[in-house]
Amino acid sequence: MNLILKVWRQKNGQVKGRFETFEAKEVSPEMSFLEMIDLLNETLTQQGIEPIAFDSDCREGICGMCSFVLNGVPHGAQYQPGSAVCQLPMRHFKDGDVLTLEPWRAKAFPVVKDLVCDRSAFDRVIAAGGFVSVNTGGCPDANAIPVRKQDAERAMDAAQCIGCGACVAACKNASAMLFVAAKVSHLATLPQGQIEARERVLNMVGQMDAEGFGNCTNMYECQAVCPKEISVDFIAQMNREYLKAAR
């Protein structure tokens, strides 16, 4: 099938960007979305046109590197909920479709080039409080500290966050509450994370605000587009942890 792509092109963060239109030809339904862009980039290179810049790494929905908005929705979640755009197969589209590709648009995620954003703000939030001092030992030692089954499962649910930033991109306030809540709740739910729980939530929320992310207004857009289906319930848990720590 042949597709029309309207892609955001921006040389760097110091110049204005614009949409450019390309035709992706002979796209197989078996391709992934990123493979389709690879195919288009090969054609552009042969024509002497600079290829479209985009992030990717594992291409298995694990690393969170692939990060752009497809037809108005981060990761194209309207086509295949609960997955990253690198996992999206082209069989969801038909010949002649017009697709619009944009980068995450948030003050805290400045555009580096085309569809690539600088998401190091998330790294600084993690560095502000994302550690434990408890020596948990090696894998055989994991059972030495008893953990309730429901707590272990809840911590695993929070730990699924891959830090892609789709929650920020979907929020009208560019809020990072779902990301920070997942990271805070993951460690706060486990006994190993209790020692630094107070400092962790205060420091991570403080860094989140310092990076310029907006506030949560309970629209649930973050949950709707999250490729790991992280629940907004974790935001409530983070708020409880924050209020308890701030007393």
Side-chain angles (χ1 to χ4, degrees):
M1 57 184 162
N2 297 325
L3 303 167
I4 302 298
L5 301 185
K6 295 183 176 180
V7 184
W8 184 258
R9 303 303 305 267
Q10 187 168 341
K11 187 174 182 180
N12 55 53
Q14 284 70 52
V15 300
K16 290 184 177 180
R18 66 191 185 284
F19 281 104
E20 292 185 6
T21 301
F22 303 97
E23 187 174 4
K25 298 181 178 179
E26 300 180 0
V27 176
S28 167
E30 305 303 322
M31 288 181 176
S32 71
F33 202 91
L34 299 191
E35 288 172 337
M36 181 274 293
I37 301 180
D38 290 338
L39 179 66
L40 173 60
N41 275 343
E42 287 182 11
T43 303
L44 295 180
T45 301
Q46 292 169 0
Q47 296 172 348
I49 301 172
E50 188 170 5
I52 299 163
F54 64 100
D55 269 331
S56 72
D57 193 354
C58 74
R59 299 199 175 200
E60 295 179 343
I62 299 172
C63 72
M65 285 297 291
C66 59
S67 52
F68 54 82
V69 175
L70 170 58
N71 283 353
V73 180
H75 287 302
Q78 69 271 47
Y79 300 103
Q80 184 169 275
S83 67
V85 70
C86 65
Q87 300 171 286
L88 181 63
M90 294 308 298
R91 63 174 176 269
H92 288 284
F93 306 95
K94 63 181 185 300
D95 186 57
D97 275 355
V98 178
L99 309 179
T100 302
L101 282 62
E102 305 171 70
W104 289 170
R105 298 191 185 277
K107 178 182 178 182
F109 290 160
V111 174
V112 176
K113 186 174 183 178
D114 297 343
L115 304 179
V116 180
C117 290
D118 178 359
R119 292 173 294 143
S120 58
F122 272 9
D123 297 333
R124 292 188 287 275
V125 171
I126 290 292
F131 67 92
V132 297
S133 61
V134 175
N135 183 3
T136 56
C139 293
D141 305 315
N143 293 328
I145 302 176
V147 180
R148 294 195 312 163
K149 184 175 185 296
Q150 53 266 48
D151 289 343
E153 290 182 346
R154 182 169 177 79
M156 286 296 294
D157 288 344
Q160 288 192 91
C161 174
I162 56 177
C164 63
C167 49
V168 175
C171 179
K172 65 178 183 179
N173 303 325
S175 172
M177 292 282 275
L178 190 65
F179 164 74
V180 179
K183 300 305 180 185
V184 167
S185 300
H186 167 210
L187 295 176
T189 304
L190 296 172
Q192 296 93 330
Q194 298 304 311
I195 296 176
E196 293 91 2
R198 179 181 182 279
E199 292 80 4
R200 181 183 308 112
V201 67
L202 292 176
N203 291 341
M204 294 182 80
V205 171
Q207 188 65 39
M208 173 181 69
D209 292 341
E211 295 290 347
F213 293 109
N215 293 319
C216 174
T217 45
N218 298 313
M219 301 302 290
Y220 290 27
E221 293 293 327
C222 53
Q223 177 180 284
V225 302
C226 176
K228 296 301 175 184
E229 301 180 316
I230 305 292
S231 170
V232 294
D233 289 348
F234 288 114
I235 296 179
Q237 181 175 353
M238 182 184 71
N239 287 337
R240 290 194 297 271
E241 293 288 336
Y242 185 84
L243 291 174
K244 185 170 62 177
R247 287 175 182 169

